[in-house]
Amino acid sequence: MITIKNERELTVMRKACKITAAARALAGEMVRPGITTKQIDKAVHDFIVSQGAKPSFLHYSGYPASACISVNGTVIHGIPGSYALREGDIVSVDVGACYQGYHGDCAATFPCGKISAEAQKLIDVTKQSFFEGLRFATRGHRVSDISHAVQTHVESNGFSVVRAFVGHGVGERLHEEPEVPNFGAAGHGPRLLPGMTLAIEPMVNAGSYEVRILKDGWTTVTADGKLSAHYENTVLITDGEPEILTVTEGL
């Protein structure tokens, strides 16, 4: 069931999303050669807790950390650990915070020092594909109108969109209906209504869209070993333009 949030719920969600966005920004500022993914995860955890919230991902279905930190060919759900970032890496950080029972969810891919031109293009195209999809996150459009716009932008730039994982509704639960794929024909799926809150999250590969999950049951990597990038925000459907909730202003 798709939930429509009322003003009281949205007030709380805005706070949850601001905390989440600030945690993403903190993680991005920490990306540099020599720092470990576990150090970034600890900083994200401590910040979220300091804001009176809880890390949404910690212990979610058994996930062992507060952030998903995915480096280079890891698409999503990279488990933080002892790996020290290296010059040229690209680092995807996905975070969530739960405040007074409501979740925010966002992600971005950050360069570690100087990166290749291809890697920078992948990051830029992934981020822009979110904004291409956002143009259709308005009342009366259908979910797949977002999906189609994302896919069109990504593929026109020579990259591929991951099919095995999709965006989703978000609110009292981290993952709610509807699913928001990053691919597919326009004109399908539920109609968008004011009060719907969606996590729109393009996951884009430099090569094939095929992925595989490692033995830990979480870490998802590109099947061909090529780079992957991720960009996500929690978005509110309104009577007018969509509102990106995962912003840091007013925290």
Side-chain angles (χ1 to χ4, degrees):
M1 183 179 71
I2 298 173
T3 62
I4 303 296
K5 281 71 176 183
N6 59 37
E7 281 305 315
R8 179 193 64 79
E9 292 173 305
L10 289 172
T11 296
V12 179
M13 273 201 75
R14 286 188 178 94
K15 177 67 173 178
C17 286
K18 283 176 170 37
I19 295 168
T20 307
R24 173 179 60 183
L26 171 64
E29 291 166 3
M30 293 181 70
V31 170
R32 62 181 181 274
I35 197 165
T36 68
T37 55
K38 190 170 185 177
Q39 286 175 299
I40 297 174
D41 179 68
K42 184 179 187 306
V44 166
H45 173 277
D46 292 350
F47 172 77
I48 291 172
V49 171
S50 77
Q51 298 298 307
K54 297 178 181 178
S56 298
F57 299 173
L58 186 60
H59 308 312
Y60 181 83
S61 296
Y63 187 73
S66 297
C68 299
I69 305 180
S70 305
V71 181
N72 295 332
T74 300
V75 182
I76 51 171
H77 302 161
I79 298 173
S82 61
Y83 177 78
L85 299 181
R86 300 171 184 171
E87 184 92 11
D89 285 343
I90 63 171
V91 185
S92 298
V93 181
D94 190 357
V95 295
C98 183
Y99 179 76
Q100 295 184 5
Y102 287 83
H103 295 272
D105 193 3
C106 65
T109 302
F110 302 97
C112 184
K114 184 176 176 59
I115 63 173
S116 70
E118 182 196 30
Q120 188 61 59
K121 181 183 177 184
L122 177 65
I123 291 173
D124 293 343
V125 168
T126 302
K127 183 174 182 177
Q128 184 58 36
S129 73
F130 164 85
F131 287 99
E132 295 298 321
L134 187 70
R135 293 168 49 222
F136 296 90
T138 57
R139 180 175 195 153
H141 279 109
R142 292 188 182 273
V143 166
S144 77
D145 296 336
I146 299 171
S147 312
H148 183 69
V150 170
Q151 181 180 17
T152 299
H153 183 74
V154 168
E155 293 181 351
S156 70
N157 281 279
F159 299 130
S160 64
V161 290
V162 171
R163 311 282 180 107
F165 296 89
V166 298
H168 51 91
V170 59
E172 285 188 281
R173 289 178 290 123
L174 182 59
H175 294 95
E176 298 183 348
E177 294 182 16
E179 289 191 340
V180 186
N182 297 303
F183 61 94
H188 298 278
R191 286 202 183 276
L192 302 178
L193 297 171
M196 291 172 64
T197 45
L198 307 176
I200 301 172
E201 53 174 321
M203 292 156 272
V204 179
N205 294 348
S208 165
Y209 65 75
E210 297 289 350
V211 301
R212 61 188 180 89
I213 300 174
L214 301 187
K215 289 181 180 179
D216 61 26
W218 285 104
T219 307
T220 301
V221 301
T222 56
D224 57 14
K226 294 187 177 181
L227 296 177
S228 186
H230 188 189
Y231 189 77
E232 174 186 22
N233 282 303
T234 300
V235 174
L236 168 67
I237 308 302
T238 74
D239 277 316
E241 293 300 307
E243 178 183 347
I244 298 177
L245 298 180
T246 37
V247 293
T248 54
E249 290 84 353
L251 182 66

